[in-house]
């Protein structure tokens, strides 16, 4: 059973518009969420994160929103740029102690159209 | 060299072969991870090492054997693999234990078992 779900395998957005990537989770023990971006032939790179004590975190063009009651988070990219075309992974962890691995979603392939 | 490096980048092996994947991090991190990404599946955590001690084994078959001789190096020894083990194997590291820092990923090793 997937604990982190990204239900859109791909998303196409016009350059300059807003890209919204969604992620749902089922494990209520998750209290820290991250977004990673992956280009072909490279490993995922960290983009932005949010702790469960917050509902929003912003970093430049990237904003992550967390709705704990709905167990839903989203990544907003505005304005979208061609270099944003990549696969975006949502990941979650529970910070109960120790070095824990991340639980990932399947990813959403974002395509920015010129 | 900086970041997380993995060798080899591509590996083709028969089911009776023995091979090893190598990961090295140059970030001064204390935790290292192995993940597996199969086609159309999320990244799956395999092993976690914290200060050279294995803290998590995510029900991985014994034909995968990790080794962490020091905080900078992580190996994944492979023997008698099955074709379904063909996947992208990603190594990651993070700073400290029980931390909220992101994980830094290597580029991965694309493994094909014939």
């Amino acid at each position: 059973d997937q604990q982190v779900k990204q239900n859109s395998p791909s998303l196409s957005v016009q350059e300059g518009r807003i890209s919204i990537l969604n992620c749902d989770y089922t494990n209520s023990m998750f209290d820290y969420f991250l977004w990673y971006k992956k280009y072909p032939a490279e490993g995922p790179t960290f983009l932005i994160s949010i702790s469960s004590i917050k509902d929003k975190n912003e970093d430049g063009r990237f904003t992550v929103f967390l709705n704990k009651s709905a167990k839903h988070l989203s990544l907003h990219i505005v304005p979208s740029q061609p270099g944003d075309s990549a696969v975006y992974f949502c990941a979650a962890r529970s910070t109960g102690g120790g070095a824990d691995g991340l639980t990932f979603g399947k990813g959403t392939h974002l395509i920015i159209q010129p | 060299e900086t970041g997380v490096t993995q060798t080899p980048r591509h590996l083709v092996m028969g089911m009776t072969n023995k091979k090893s994947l190598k990961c090295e991090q140059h970030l001064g991190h204390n935790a290292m991870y192995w993940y597996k990404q199969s086609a159309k599946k999320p990244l799956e955590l395999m092993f976690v090492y914290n200060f050279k001690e294995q803290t998590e084994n995510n029900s991985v078959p014994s034909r995968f054997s990790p080794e962490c001789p020091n905080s900078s190096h992580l190996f994944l020894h492979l023997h008698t693999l099955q074709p379904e083990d063909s996947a992208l194997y990603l190594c990651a590291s993070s700073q400290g234990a029980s931390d909220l820092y992101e994980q830094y990923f290597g580029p991965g090793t694309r493994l094909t078992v014939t």
Side-chain angles (χ1 to χ4, degrees), chain B residues 29-98:
Chain B
H29 290 168
N30 294 306
M32 296 187 78
Y33 312 79
W34 279 116
Y35 287 89
K36 174 185 177 182
Q37 185 174 31
S38 304
K40 300 189 194 273
K41 288 177 121 179
L43 273 162
E44 299 170 74
L45 178 68
M46 299 176 73
F47 300 105
V48 180
Y49 275 83
N50 187 28
F51 291 92
K52 302 185 295 177
E53 298 295 321
Q54 186 175 315
T55 60
E56 190 163 340
N57 174 342
N58 228 20
S59 304
V60 180
S62 59
R63 57 186 184 270
F64 295 91
S65 174
E67 179 191 0
C68 189
N70 53 62
S71 293
S72 299
H73 293 86
L74 184 65
F75 295 90
L76 188 62
H77 304 299
L78 316 170
H79 64 97
T80 59
L81 294 193
Q82 305 297 312
E84 59 265 28
D85 296 323
S86 298
L88 179 68
Y89 289 85
L90 285 158
C91 172
S93 69
S94 67
Q95 185 180 354
S98 186

Side-chain angles (χ1 to χ4, degrees), chain B residues 6-11 20-22 108-110:
Chain B
Q6 288 186 246
T7 53
R9 293 293 307 275
H10 299 272
L11 178 63
S20 295
L21 309 185
K22 180 183 175 183
T109 296
R110 174 69 63 185

Side-chain angles (χ1 to χ4, degrees), chain A residues 11-27:
Chain A
L11 175 68
S12 184
V13 174
Q14 201 165 10
E15 181 180 357
R17 307 292 286 268
I18 183 170
S19 296
I20 300 176
L21 297 98
N22 293 304
C23 177
D24 298 291
Y25 62 96
T26 57
N27 188 339

